[in-house]
């Protein structure tokens, strides 16, 4: 059974940084695309970043967020710098078997999800 567990969320002031972690278990994730999504109150869950053969980011976080992974440890990270109040959301880790550019930008394409971790950025 695949399990994804996020950690690292919290309250931070605008301009600050946070590092989210996602611990994956139940599979060898080398050939999985790992993604980060977020959902703000009253909004749809949206793509933030992915890593699987290549990395890509939503335009709103490019240059500020960095996704990385350690396949040996089954860990995925999201380093978030220069945080803005509009980054406030619950952040979710997700996984899907398969890699490659041009794929896995929507939530319906992912098979496994974590429980989410709250990130709050105060102005």
């Amino acid at each position: 059974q695949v399990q994804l567990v996020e950690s690292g969320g919290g309250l931070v002031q605008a301009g600050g940084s946070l590092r989210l972690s996602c611990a994956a278990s139940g599979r060898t994730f080398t050939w999985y695309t790992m993604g980060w999504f977020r959902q703000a109150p009253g909004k749809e869950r949206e793509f933030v970043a992915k890593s699987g053969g290549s990395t890509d980011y939503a335009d709103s976080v490019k240059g500020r967020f960095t996704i990385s992974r350690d396949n040996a440890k089954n860990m995925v990270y999201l380093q978030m710098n220069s945080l803005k109040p509009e980054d406030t959301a619950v952040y979710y880790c997700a996984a899907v078997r398969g890699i490659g550019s041009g794929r896995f930008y929507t939530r319906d394409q992912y098979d496994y999800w974590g429980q989410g971790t709250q990130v709050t950025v105060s102005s």
Side-chain angles (χ1 to χ4, degrees), residues 14-43:
S17 298
L18 280 175
R19 187 197 197 203
L20 305 183
S21 299
C22 173
S25 61
R27 293 283 190 280
T28 299
F29 287 88
T30 304
W31 301 107
Y32 279 68
T33 290
M34 305 300 294
W36 286 97
F37 286 73
R38 66 187 182 186
Q39 188 165 15
K43 294 188 176 181

Side-chain angles (χ1 to χ4, degrees), residues 37 45-47 94-96 104-113:
F37 286 73
R45 192 172 300 188
E46 64 176 5
F47 168 79
V96 59
F104 307 127
Y105 290 91
T106 59
R107 61 179 295 184
D108 60 294
Q109 294 177 301
Y110 287 78
D111 296 318
Y112 307 102
W113 292 86

